[in-house]
């Protein structure tokens, strides 16, 4: 069994996962941003420090296991917000040194992907990773997850968050923007920017904010959502055509968007691929993504001492060796 | 039209006949996941621009398929059929010339927009550039640098084995074709990559 600790952004979570991938516990506590504001890293990290002991204790209790039975402690080492990451790392290092358990630094983004692969039982998928921190299409090649397309500026999660905050909503705004879009009556043209396999959303955001001065917010939300999702779908279709992968997973918080799932289903139909969406409750940030990837990495021989248990705020997922993904 | 050559993400490519010559029919089919008004606007604009740029690229000294006919109503371009080896399968042999072709395009005021190795074909020792579907007229440093970034991305995702050496000869070919100013584009390309999410530059 491996204990996993997640603390990259708004969520502090802990989970115990078995070496075979059984999720034995999943405890989360999310920091809530004030209305109209984003995640303040300092406030979020204070929240994490306050809830950490009870979240970790409950994760062990729910799993019916003690620290002695953990073969390793995995923690999200990045990418993410520095102050938040450091809380998780401090907790993990303390547990590791007190109980003499090896420490496993885990890349949060690869965690999203590998958890989705576990839950969907996909064997060789491409993956759309879409969240507040990522908007990318990746596929495994040569023992790493590699980028086949990604955003050149902000992510779709940030696009919805910044648009929502402009309207006075609290982050994360994705669900509220999706709900708002369902009340639309017309489509307004919004800049559509695809460069090769890459996307850019900043122009769409600026334009949408300006449209709010003279159009109904429902119509703007709808047009923004349709345009952003269409851009992601077009690049996803290109990546599927290029890599010839026959499975497509969706991971990350925005995977919960129903319109995106419907559009990607259509993309898969066109490219003869199968859309595999994990259970929605595992779409967002959670402990199992850290615990499961930690377990896999640990069985591949990855671990470090507490002295080496750093965090890396800008840790790209294509730097991580995933030997089980072969060539 | 006789035979479907490929069903891409962007268009269907048919092999057919045009006045007794082998010809490629490139038809942008509706993207069913998009709103029809968004889809129609994008397909129409891309077809017109692609046909124009295929012709303009020749003027810049870059070999491209000759355009025979454009049917905007059907979002279809009829063009020369280019038989040869895709650079996808012969990167080692053609990366320098790939750099040179892209450099000449840039010098001629065109950015390709999708310079993957599947879009370059070696024919009789010369490199022909295909698929101007995402190309545009631009002399902006930023747009040129995005082209180079896309090449890097294509090399590192699909050609890990030869990536480093292919990139070097690509850069040589590009710099030679562009002349002065190539360094500036390469610098901007690195800047774009630093700007990207979780840039690898921060980690050396």
């Amino acid at each position: 069994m491996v204990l996993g600790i997640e603390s990259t952004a708004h969520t502090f979570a802990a989970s115990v996962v078995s070496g075979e991938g059984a999720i034995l516990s999943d405890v989360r506590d999310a920091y809530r941003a004030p209305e109209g504001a984003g995640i303040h890293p300092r406030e979020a990290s204070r929240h994490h420090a306050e809830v950490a002991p009870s979240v970790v204790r409950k994760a062990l209790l729910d799993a019916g296991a003690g620290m002695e039975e953990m073969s390793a402690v995995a923690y999200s080492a990045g990418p993410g917000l520095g102050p938040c990451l450091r809380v998780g790392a401090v907790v993990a290092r303390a547990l590791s040194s007190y109980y003499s358990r090896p420490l496993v630094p885990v890349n949060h983004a690869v965690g999203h992907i590998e958890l989705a692969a576990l839950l969907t039982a996909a064997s060789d998928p491409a993956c759309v990773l879409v969240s507040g921190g990522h908007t990318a299409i990746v596929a495994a090649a040569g023992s790493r997850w590699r980028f086949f397309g990604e955003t050149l500026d902000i992510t779709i999660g940030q696009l919805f968050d910044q648009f929502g905050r402009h309207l006075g909503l609290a982050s994360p705004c994705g669900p509220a923007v999706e709900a708002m879009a369902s009340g639309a009556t017309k489509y307004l043209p919004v800049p559509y920017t695809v460069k090769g396999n890459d996307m850019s959303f900043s122009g769409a955001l600026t334009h949408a904010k300006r449209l709010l001065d003279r159009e109904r917010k429902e119509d703007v939300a709808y047009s923004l959502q349709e345009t952003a999702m269409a851009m992601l779908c077009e690049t996803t279709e290109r990546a599927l055509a290029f890599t010839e992968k026959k499975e497509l997973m969706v991971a990350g918080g925005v995977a919960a968007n129903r319109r995106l799932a419907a559009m990607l289903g259509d993309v898969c139909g066109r490219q003869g691929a199968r859309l595999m969406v994990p259970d929605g409750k595992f779409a967002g940030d959670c402990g199992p993504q850290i615990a499961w990837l930690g377990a896999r990495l640990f069985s591949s021989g990855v671990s470090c001492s507490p002295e080496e248990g750093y965090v890396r705020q800008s840790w790209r997922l294509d730097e991580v060796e995933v030997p089980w993904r072969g060539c | 039209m006789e035979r479907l050559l490929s069903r891409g993400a962007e268009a269907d490519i048919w092999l057919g006949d045009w006045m007794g010559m082998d010809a490629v029919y490139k038809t942008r089919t509706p993207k069913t996941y998009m709103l029809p008004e968004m889809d129609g606007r994008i397909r129409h604009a891309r077809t017109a621009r692609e046909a124009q740029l295929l012709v303009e690229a020749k003027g810049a000294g870059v070999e491209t398929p000759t355009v025979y006919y454009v049917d905007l109503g059907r979002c279809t371009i009829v063009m020369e059929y280019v038989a040869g080896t895709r650079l996808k399968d012969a990167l080692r042999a053609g990366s320098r010339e790939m750099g040179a072709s892209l450099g000449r395009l840039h010098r001629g005021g065109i950015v390709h927009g999708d310079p993957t190795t599947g879009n370059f074909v070696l024919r009789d020792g010369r490199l022909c550039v295909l698929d101007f579907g995402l190309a545009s007229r631009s002399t902006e440093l930023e747009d040129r640098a995005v082209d180079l970034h896309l090449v890097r991305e294509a090399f590192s995702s699909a050609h890990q084995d030869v990536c480093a050496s292919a990139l070097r000869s690509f850069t040589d070919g590009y710099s030679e074709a562009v002349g002065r100013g190539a360094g500036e584009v390469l610098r901007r390309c690195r800047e774009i990559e630093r700007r990207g999410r979780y840039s690898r530059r921060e980690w050396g």
Side-chain angles (χ1 to χ4, degrees), chain A residues 79 132-134 141-142 146-155 158 187 189-190 192 194-198 222 226-227 230 233-234 237-238 241-242 259 263 266-267 270-271 311-316 318-319, chain B residues 7-11 29-35 37-38 41-42 46 88 113-119 131 134 142-143 146 149-150 153-154 156-160 192-193 195-203:
Chain A
H134 289 86
R146 299 187 189 267
F147 287 94
F148 280 84
E150 64 176 322
T151 176
L152 291 168
D153 41 54
I154 58 174
T155 66
Q158 289 173 316
Y187 167 75
V190 170
Y192 182 101
V194 168
K195 301 178 179 183
N197 278 345
D198 291 338
Y222 169 72
E226 284 297 323
T227 307
C233 287
E234 182 183 353
E237 186 173 8
R238 298 166 73 82
F242 188 80
R259 177 64 182 137
M263 290 168 82
D266 191 51
V267 168
R270 294 161 60 90
Q271 290 298 323
V311 301
R312 300 171 157 199
Q313 292 179 65
S314 309
W315 188 12
R316 275 177 75 86
D318 58 359
E319 293 173 51
Chain B
R7 172 153 283 162
E10 179 72 11
T29 48
K31 290 195 176 69
T32 37
Y33 50 85
M34 278 193 203
L35 295 178
E37 57 256 66
M38 192 194 306
R41 206 158 39 94
I42 293 171
R46 284 185 184 169
K88 203 174 176 175
D114 190 20
T116 61
T117 46
N119 283 336
D131 194 357
L134 289 175
E142 176 80 10
D143 294 334
V146 167
H149 166 63
L150 294 172
E153 213 171 43
S156 67
S157 61
H159 304 279
Q160 304 101 33
I192 288 174
E193 285 163 3
R195 218 187 284 157
R197 310 289 305 169
Y198 316 125
S199 160
R200 45 175 82 75
R201 296 279 303 171
E202 283 182 48
W203 297 95

Side-chain angles (χ1 to χ4, degrees), chain A residues 56-130:
Chain A
V56 172
R57 194 180 304 121
K58 184 156 191 315
L60 290 167
L61 239 128
D62 287 0
M67 272 309 295
E68 309 71 39
E69 294 160 75
M70 298 300 126
S71 45
V73 178
Y75 70 102
S76 51
L81 306 171
C84 300
L85 287 171
R86 281 188 282 275
V87 174
V90 163
V91 172
R93 286 197 299 259
L95 290 170
S96 158
S97 81
Y98 189 82
Y99 292 98
S100 306
R101 301 289 113 174
L103 201 54
V104 182
V106 164
N107 182 294
H108 172 87
V110 179
H112 270 305
I113 301 165
E114 289 291 344
L115 180 63
L118 169 71
L119 297 170
T120 59
S123 58
D124 182 23
C127 181
V128 177
L129 179 58
V130 57

